[in-house]
Structures are given as C-alpha cells and as structure tokens.
C-alpha cells in the first residue's frame, strides 16, 4: 500500500499551477512532475520523443494519449515517485485520467486531491502574452485555452463526483495567498 500523497494540479494554462506545484513539492518533499516540462526537455534534447511532439506543442494541441501514457508510466515508476507525487499538466483528457487511475490502482493508491487552480480568462491571456514565450502568439494562447475548455475542463466534473477529492483554488491572488489556500486544501 502506497502511503504518500498523490496529488493532481488541474487548471487552464497560465493559472499559475506550475509555480504552485513546485512550491508544494518543496513543502511536502515529494516530486512535482510536469509533463509540459518533460516534453520541452525532450524537444530541447532533440531526441525521438522531442521530434515527435515538437509541432503539436507549438500548435497548442495535445500530444496523443498513448504517447503520454508511456511517458507518464515511465516517470511515475522512478524511485523518487515511490512516496507520492504531484502531477502538473497530467491528466488532460478522460483517457489520461483512466490511465492515471490504473497506474495508482497498481500501487494500491488513488488520487488524494485534485487542486483546481482557476483565474478569469482575460487574466490568463494577459499573463501568457506578458511572459513572451516564443511559441505563445495570441492565436496559440487562445487555442490552448480552447483545448483546455474542450478536452480538460470535463475532468472537473469527473473529480467533483469522487467524494471530496476536488479542491477549488482561486488563482487570481498573490503567489503566497494561493500557496496558503493549497496547503489548507491538502492538509484538510
Ligand atoms: P504545459 O507546460 O503543461 O502547458 O504543456 C505544454 C504543452 O505540452 C501542451 O500545450 C501540450 O501540447 C503538451 N502537453 C503537456 N502535457 C500534456 C498532456 N498531459 N497531454 C497532452 N499534451 C500535453
């Protein structure tokens, strides 16, 4: 039986969930695993995975579920994830949520908390464009938001239907205030 915490960050791009996942990871002493970061590292390394996902990532679309399942299975099997983990950016589809449930079932665990970090859309767009990442044209920013609404937002209802798993966090506050809200949700 796995006794560490298994946490998931859910929320639209630029909600601040990556920053918060990293901070929570430091606090809890378990790894924050960002699939977006893993994929960006693969692109930077120019390896097979990176070559496969490069164009899809630049378009704002999602990498296919089968490939993501492989990436995540391999990552979660590593030693540092054996006492719990925080996922940032996975799952993003119903199929990915099924895969995660399967992986957790295999170690006698389940998703303990889903931290849904939200902010108004105009704030998300402003943050994205302000940050000036090379692949973030306004068109791609809008596409990422559309893909989130279509493919990922339905996960909110799924987790909302699982007892008290889902915690809604107001991401439109200072970083410290968001962190405190997350700690309260994780420790409750
Ligand atoms: P992120 O940094 O989480 O916003 O991810 C950046 C990009 O990587 C996304 O726009 C997707 O193209 C891809 N990506 C990251 N995580 C996933 C995932 N779980 N499923 C599919 N694509 C993903």
């Amino acid at each position: 039986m796995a006794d560490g915490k298994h946490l998931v960050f859910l929320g639209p791009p630029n909600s601040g969930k990556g920053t918060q996942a990293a901070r929570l990871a430091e606090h809890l002493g378990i790894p924050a695993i960002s699939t977006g970061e893993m994929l960006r590292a693969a692109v930077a390394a120019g390896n097979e995975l990176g070559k496969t996902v490069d164009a899809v990532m630049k378009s704002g679309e999602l990498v296919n579920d089968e490939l993501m399942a492989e990436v995540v299975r391999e990552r979660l099997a590593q030693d540092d994830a054996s006492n719990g983990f925080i996922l940032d950016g996975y799952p993003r589809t119903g199929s990915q949520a099924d895969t995660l449930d399967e992986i957790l079932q295999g170690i006698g665990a389940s998703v303990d908390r889903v931290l849904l970090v939200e902010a108004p859309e105009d704030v998300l767009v402003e943050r994205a464009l302000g940050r000036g990442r090379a692949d973030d044209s306004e068109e791609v920013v809008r596409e990422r938001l559309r893909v989130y609404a279509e493919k990922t937002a339905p996960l909110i209802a799924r987790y909302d239907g699982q007892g008290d798993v889902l915690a809604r966090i107001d991401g439109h506050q200072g970083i410290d205030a968001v962190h405190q809200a997350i700690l309260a949700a994780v420790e409750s």
Side-chain angles (χ1 to χ4, degrees), residues 10-137:
L10 196 62
N14 296 294
S15 63
K17 63 188 193 319
T19 303
Q20 294 297 335
R23 236 177 119 165
L24 183 62
E26 200 173 311
H27 180 87
L28 296 177
I30 54 178
I33 296 171
S34 158
T35 48
E37 259 174 42
M38 290 173 71
L39 298 177
R40 277 189 290 281
V43 170
N47 62 24
E48 210 51 49
L49 173 64
K51 285 181 200 152
T52 308
V53 302
D54 192 18
V56 178
M57 289 179 75
K58 285 191 173 121
S59 72
E61 305 297 323
L62 297 182
V63 173
N64 78 69
D65 290 336
E66 292 71 26
L67 186 53
M68 290 310 301
E70 252 179 69
V71 167
V72 164
R73 274 185 199 287
E74 193 180 307
R75 179 63 187 87
L76 296 186
Q78 285 171 25
D79 278 351
D80 67 332
S82 63
N83 287 316
F85 51 76
I86 300 167
L87 280 171
D88 161 25
Y90 192 97
R92 263 172 150 101
T93 67
S95 158
Q96 293 184 11
D98 291 342
T99 298
L100 178 60
D101 283 346
E102 245 177 71
I103 294 172
L104 287 171
Q105 240 175 50
I107 58 169
S110 59
V111 175
D112 295 302
R113 271 266 185 289
V114 173
L115 301 148
L116 172 63
V117 184
E118 291 183 302
E121 178 158 338
D122 55 333
V123 172
L124 300 172
V125 172
E126 210 178 282
R127 284 182 184 171
L129 298 176
R131 196 174 59 183
R133 222 163 67 184
D135 55 351
D136 280 353
S137 69

